[in-house]
């Protein structure tokens, strides 16, 4: 007996369905994914990174903000992600057709940096989002976010990424010729950010925020 395949949702269907129940959901290739509840350590790391970036863009008087909740739509991947830290460029939001009503961006010019703090669904951050955030904006339906951080403070990722034995690692992924170049930072190494070259922040400071 042939089993019917589950119906894949469009972004608009996902938004219409999205319940107001306090939970976070993402759309992965047309499939609704409920995000696991964050731990206290996870939220402390998210808050610490957001604070450090806010201080830096405020110091530089840049037109940026970090929203409480917002979605990144990757149309060619039929996905919509809710990042842990999303740096928005206010100057481009007027060009975003979905932002005012649906708090959603789909253009690389709106997103200087996107950051995922790794949790139990670490494969999404290291594989799916790494691929989809990097999709080159050579066509209108693709993105190409210039900078993507993977903050693996609990060393949950695969050994091929963070070593054996596993070590907490911050990856700064810079988009170069359509692909992310992943630079790892561990211990007291100062993090090098293409967007904020004067950022005074080490990997260990981020790891300490989880305690």
């Amino acid at each position: 007996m042939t089993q019917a395949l589950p119906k894949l949702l469009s972004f608009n269907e996902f938004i219409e369905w999205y319940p107001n129940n306090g939970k976070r959901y993402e759309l992965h290739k047309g499939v609704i994914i409920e995000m696991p509840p964050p731990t206290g350590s996870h939220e402390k790391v998210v808050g610490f990174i957001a604070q450090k970036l806010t201080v830096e863009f405020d110091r530089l008087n840049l037109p940026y903000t970090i929203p409480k909740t917002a979605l990144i739509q990757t149309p060619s991947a039929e996905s919509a992600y809710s990042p842990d830290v999303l740096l928005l460029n206010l100057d481009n939001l007027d060009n975003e057709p979905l932002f005012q009503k649906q708090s959603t961006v789909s253009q690389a010019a709106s997103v200087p940096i996107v950051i995922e703090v790794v949790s139990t669904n670490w494969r999404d951050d290291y594989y799916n989002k790494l691929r989809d955030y990097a999709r080159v904006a050579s066509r209108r339906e693709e993105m190409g976010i210039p900078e993507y951080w993977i903050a693996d403070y609990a060393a949950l990722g695969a050994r091929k990424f963070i070593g054996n034995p596993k070590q907490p690692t911050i990856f700064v992924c810079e988009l170069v010729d359509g692909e992310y170049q992943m630079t790892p930072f561990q211990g007291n190494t100062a993090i090098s950010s293409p967007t904020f070259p004067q950022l005074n922040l080490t990997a260990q400071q981020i790891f300490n925020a989880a305690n």
Side-chain angles (χ1 to χ4, degrees):
M1 182 175 180
T2 302
Q3 186 176 5
L5 294 175
K7 179 181 181 296
L8 300 181
L9 271 67
S10 67
F11 173 77
N12 287 336
E13 290 171 327
F14 170 66
I15 290 296
E16 291 175 3
W17 166 88
Y18 205 108
N20 185 18
N21 59 8
K23 297 180 180 180
R24 289 174 61 205
Y25 300 90
E26 294 185 338
L27 187 68
H28 292 205
K29 294 185 180 299
V31 178
I32 295 172
I33 303 295
E34 181 180 344
M35 306 308 291
T39 64
S41 294
H42 180 279
E43 291 300 272
K44 286 194 288 185
V45 169
V46 169
F48 179 77
I49 294 174
Q51 177 188 7
K52 290 298 182 179
L53 294 187
T54 299
V55 169
E56 188 66 4
F57 70 68
D58 185 62
R59 182 183 73 83
L60 296 171
N61 196 29
L62 294 171
Y64 294 164
T65 191
I66 296 176
K68 181 180 178 181
T69 55
L71 291 170
I72 292 179
Q73 182 193 20
T74 58
S76 59
E78 298 177 338
S79 299
Y81 299 130
S82 176
D84 290 307
V85 180
L86 174 58
L87 188 65
L88 291 181
N89 180 358
L90 295 172
D91 284 351
N92 195 63
L93 293 186
D94 285 345
N95 299 321
E96 291 282 2
L98 302 175
F99 186 76
Q100 289 300 326
K101 291 185 176 181
Q102 299 167 338
S103 187
T104 299
V105 294
S106 59
Q107 301 173 13
S110 300
V111 187
I113 297 178
V114 61
I115 299 174
E116 298 289 357
V117 177
V118 178
S119 55
T120 53
N121 57 336
W122 62 268
R123 290 174 181 82
D124 290 337
D125 302 329
Y126 278 98
Y127 291 103
N128 298 339
K129 295 178 183 180
L130 183 75
R131 178 194 63 234
D132 292 342
Y133 289 152
R135 289 175 181 266
V136 181
S138 58
R139 295 183 297 170
R140 292 184 60 188
E141 70 270 18
E142 297 187 333
M143 289 206 69
I145 294 173
E147 187 172 342
Y148 170 40
W149 291 21
I150 302 173
D152 197 349
Y153 74 95
L156 296 175
R159 289 179 175 83
K160 71 176 183 178
F161 293 111
I162 60 175
N164 186 16
K166 294 183 177 184
Q167 297 184 58
T169 307
I170 307 295
F171 288 96
V172 173
C173 309
E174 181 182 5
L175 195 65
V176 178
D177 295 331
E179 295 183 0
Y180 277 136
Q181 304 298 312
M182 299 176 67
T183 303
F185 298 92
Q186 298 174 336
N188 291 315
T189 304
I191 292 172
S192 178
S193 165
T195 303
F196 297 115
Q198 296 178 316
L199 182 66
N200 184 16
L201 180 64
T202 68
Q204 193 61 49
Q205 286 176 296
I206 294 177
F207 305 149
N208 291 343
N211 299 327

